[in-house]
Amino acid sequence: LPVLFKEELKDEEAQEGASVTLSCELTKGAPLQWKIGPKVLKASDKYQMRQSGTTAELIIRDLEVKDA
């Protein structure tokens, strides 16, 4: 069976310069890629990715307008 979103991303609002955590839940554990538009995000000081079982999180630090 394909992997589907059990709980999709929700819109979050935050101030420029702040941090935000985005999370989603999948129907089963599988590797996940986070993207902004066509750009695949890689772990860095700005982006932190965590995945535990079927739950995945993306933390974006030092928010900028381009992170919308």
Side-chain angles (χ1 to χ4, degrees):
L1 291 174
V3 178
L4 303 172
F5 287 102
K6 189 172 181 180
E7 184 179 322
E8 294 196 22
L9 291 175
K10 294 179 181 150
D11 289 338
E12 297 287 342
E13 290 188 27
Q15 298 289 326
E16 273 188 77
S19 296
V20 69
T21 301
L22 304 174
S23 62
C24 64
E25 187 174 352
L26 306 172
T27 54
K28 62 183 179 180
L32 184 71
Q33 277 189 334
W34 291 95
K35 294 181 175 185
I36 293 181
K39 178 185 172 191
V40 176
L41 302 179
K42 297 188 185 297
S44 65
D45 289 341
K46 183 169 180 72
Y47 303 112
Q48 179 183 355
M49 294 89 170
R50 294 191 288 214
Q51 190 167 355
S52 177
T54 59
T55 302
E57 290 184 335
L58 169 66
I59 300 165
I60 305 174
R61 294 186 179 86
D62 194 23
L63 286 169
E64 302 172 63
V65 173
K66 68 179 183 178
D67 295 317

